[in-house]
Amino acid sequence: MIRSKNAYLQKLTANMKMKSIKIGQELDGSTPPSVFIGSWNYPKVYAGPMMVPIQGDTAIMDSPESWIPGQKSQEDIIGYRLSLVRGKQSISIDDINNSFVEKLQEISLASTSIDSEATFNKRPRGLSFSEETTPHGPSALIEKFDIDAVKWDRELEKVYYDSDLRAKDALTELHQKGVPFSNVQKAFSVGAIGTGKRRKLVPTRWSITACDSTLADNLLKRVRNYIIIDTHRVYEFSSLNNYYAVILIPTEWQYEWMEAFIRVLGKEELIFSDYETNAGKKEYSRVGGCYYTCKMGVLDALNQEQKQAGALVLREAYSGYVPLGVFNVRENVKYAMEQPYKEFEDLKSSLSYVGSKLKIPLGKFIKKSDLIKDLLMSRQTTLDAFFKK
């Protein structure tokens, strides 16, 4: 019996039967630009560039923000990612002045792909799939690494040289200026953002959640001051074997994330969820980074409209789904919030509409829910109608 999302995803990724690119001990190509910082053995971590044996513009391979608008298929994305070769060296997180780390910072601040050369201690092997980070291809210890001259992104360059600017303020400033999230996160991960003495390497997985949660906290401070919406709204979007429904309700901020995995491994129908009331959430979410990236996406849209609402988000992942990292949630929620919404008079009718789009009966979601059940009961709505299916 699978009881946690983490256990389920470990089983799912263990069953992935895919092949990554094959290369020798030397690689002459480019980095999109892309870097990866592992978390194993923290505070010493394996850090390094990710490269592809192709020269020229390879930015698409590490630009999650361009995949959905570019109508890239799941197969396209997996092909990009498994072509990326990860080089790594063991480095202490506070060894920021290391010459190898300085090259990683150059890569993370770059505005274009960079020609690069690497020699590994042995032929890179394996691949990596995760719900938190985008997949990558084979990896090996890197013995020699060189890059061509780098042209930096102007906005990232400004915060790099401003060593008095706190990391959370830099993240907010870059987000407001429209710098892609993945670019900001990479710069944060390699210690190129924040006050001078506090800069350090941050594992990629942790840095994604840190950036999402920092931005969400800042956005929520603003959203709390806005007028509450006056109707129930439903936003929808589907891509990459996922369906997303965002229900905005006319209340102060409260939030529930619910996700179902339907026959991805076999005949399973599993639902995982987490929530927060208006008082907020202190402990780390039991469903991982998806919780924070979705929260950030919804709050970002509310802030742009200068409205406040509660949010109930339901996601279904279908047969054929492959974990591609939390970008999948971030970008799908972003595009859901950009679609024309449907209005409903009450929570019951908005839930009934969403239920007509789901493959799992809505009642199963509600039984697993904390917030939806409380909201329905507080409105003296009978739950029986939702549990008949």
Side-chain angles (χ1 to χ4, degrees):
M1 183 71 179
I2 297 174
R3 298 189 179 277
S4 74
K5 179 184 173 184
N6 186 54
Y8 173 70
L9 290 174
Q10 284 183 352
K11 186 174 182 181
L12 177 59
T13 54
N15 283 357
M16 293 294 171
K17 305 296 182 186
M18 297 186 185
K19 293 182 179 180
S20 57
I21 192 170
K22 289 186 177 181
I23 65 162
Q25 281 184 247
E26 295 185 350
L27 186 154
D28 184 3
S30 66
T31 177
S34 185
V35 296
F36 190 90
I37 315 293
S39 59
W40 185 82
N41 203 37
Y42 188 90
K44 282 198 90 172
V45 295
Y46 281 109
M50 292 208 285
M51 301 161 286
V52 61
I54 302 170
Q55 291 184 324
D57 184 3
T58 55
I60 188 68
M61 295 183 172
D62 199 28
S63 300
E65 294 83 2
S66 67
W67 294 338
I68 291 177
Q71 298 184 325
K72 302 303 179 185
S73 68
Q74 184 171 271
E75 291 69 30
D76 290 333
I77 296 167
I78 293 171
Y80 296 149
R81 301 302 304 178
L82 295 191
S83 295
L84 284 170
V85 180
R86 179 189 170 198
K88 54 190 179 183
Q89 286 187 6
S90 178
I91 300 170
S92 175
I93 59 165
D94 54 9
D95 192 6
I96 295 296
N97 295 321
N98 180 301
S99 61
F100 183 69
V101 173
E102 288 175 351
K103 288 180 182 177
L104 299 184
Q105 291 181 335
E106 290 249 357
I107 291 170
S108 295
L109 298 171
S111 59
T112 58
S113 304
I114 310 158
D115 288 344
S116 55
E117 297 180 5
T119 302
F120 303 96
N121 71 328
K122 60 182 179 181
R123 186 166 70 84
R125 297 178 181 273
L127 50 82
S128 171
F129 277 94
S130 165
E131 176 73 357
E132 303 291 332
T133 59
T134 46
H136 64 72
S139 64
L141 292 174
I142 197 166
E143 293 183 339
K144 183 181 178 183
F145 177 57
D146 291 308
I147 56 176
D148 278 0
V150 179
K151 181 181 179 182
W152 285 6
D153 176 279
R154 185 175 298 176
E155 299 300 337
L156 291 173
E157 183 178 3
K158 287 179 185 176
V159 298
Y160 172 77
Y161 282 118
D162 190 349
S163 58
D164 293 325
L165 185 64
R166 295 183 302 174
K168 65 178 183 179
D169 295 329
L171 294 176
T172 299
E173 181 180 312
L174 291 167
H175 180 70
Q176 289 174 342
K177 290 181 176 178
V179 178
F181 178 92
S182 60
N183 295 8
V184 176
Q185 171 268 316
K186 282 181 277 194
F188 177 78
S189 184
V190 298
I193 289 176
T195 53
K197 293 182 179 179
R198 301 191 67 180
R199 293 186 179 187
K200 60 184 179 181
L201 297 177
V202 181
T204 296
R205 176 183 164 209
W206 302 353
S207 70
I208 293 170
T209 297
C211 291
D212 273 324
S213 58
T214 297
L215 290 171
D217 289 345
N218 180 269
L219 289 163
L220 182 54
K221 288 178 183 177
R222 297 175 178 228
V223 167
R224 286 189 190 281
N225 295 318
Y226 297 144
I227 295 172
I228 295 171
I229 62 174
D230 55 10
T231 59
H232 291 74
R233 304 177 180 179
V234 175
Y235 299 79
E236 302 170 273
F237 194 72
S238 298
S239 78
L240 304 174
N241 292 311
N242 289 270
Y243 168 75
Y244 290 80
V246 180
I247 304 172
L248 295 187
I249 57 177
T251 68
E252 292 182 328
W253 173 257
Q254 53 188 319
Y255 164 57
E256 184 160 42
W257 162 258
M258 307 194 72
E259 55 185 333
F261 294 87
I262 307 171
R263 300 180 183 88
V264 180
L265 269 173
K267 295 182 178 180
E268 83 282 6
E269 291 185 353
L270 299 173
I271 301 174
F272 305 102
S273 68
D274 204 356
Y275 76 104
E276 63 187 66
T277 64
N278 188 250
K281 186 176 190 63
K282 294 181 179 179
E283 73 282 0
Y284 183 73
S285 174
R286 58 180 175 251
V287 295
C290 290
Y291 182 89
Y292 301 98
T293 201
C294 175
K295 177 181 175 180
M296 191 276 285
V298 173
L299 284 167
D300 197 22
L302 285 170
N303 180 57
Q304 289 177 36
E305 191 184 347
Q306 297 190 1
K307 294 288 187 180
Q308 183 176 183
L312 310 170
V313 185
L314 284 70
R315 169 205 192 182
E316 287 187 332
Y318 305 123
S319 176
Y321 164 80
V322 173
L324 295 173
V326 295
F327 100 85
N328 199 348
V329 174
R330 184 183 307 107
E331 295 304 306
N332 273 287
V333 169
K334 172 186 173 182
Y335 281 96
M337 298 305 294
E338 291 178 354
Q339 306 307 309
Y341 58 82
K342 294 178 174 62
E343 283 190 334
F344 298 88
E345 291 185 0
D346 52 32
L347 179 59
K348 182 179 178 182
S349 56
S350 59
L351 283 169
S352 295
Y353 170 77
V354 171
S356 72
K357 298 298 190 76
L358 298 171
K359 293 190 177 181
I360 286 184
L362 180 63
K364 290 189 175 182
F365 276 96
I366 296 176
K367 283 182 180 178
K368 191 74 175 179
S369 161
D370 292 285
L371 207 53
I372 297 177
K373 272 192 293 195
D374 287 347
L375 287 165
L376 288 170
M377 292 173 70
S378 70
R379 286 159 173 72
Q380 298 182 329
T381 300
T382 175
L383 301 180
D384 294 344
F386 295 110
F387 296 151
K388 287 179 180 178
K389 293 182 181 180

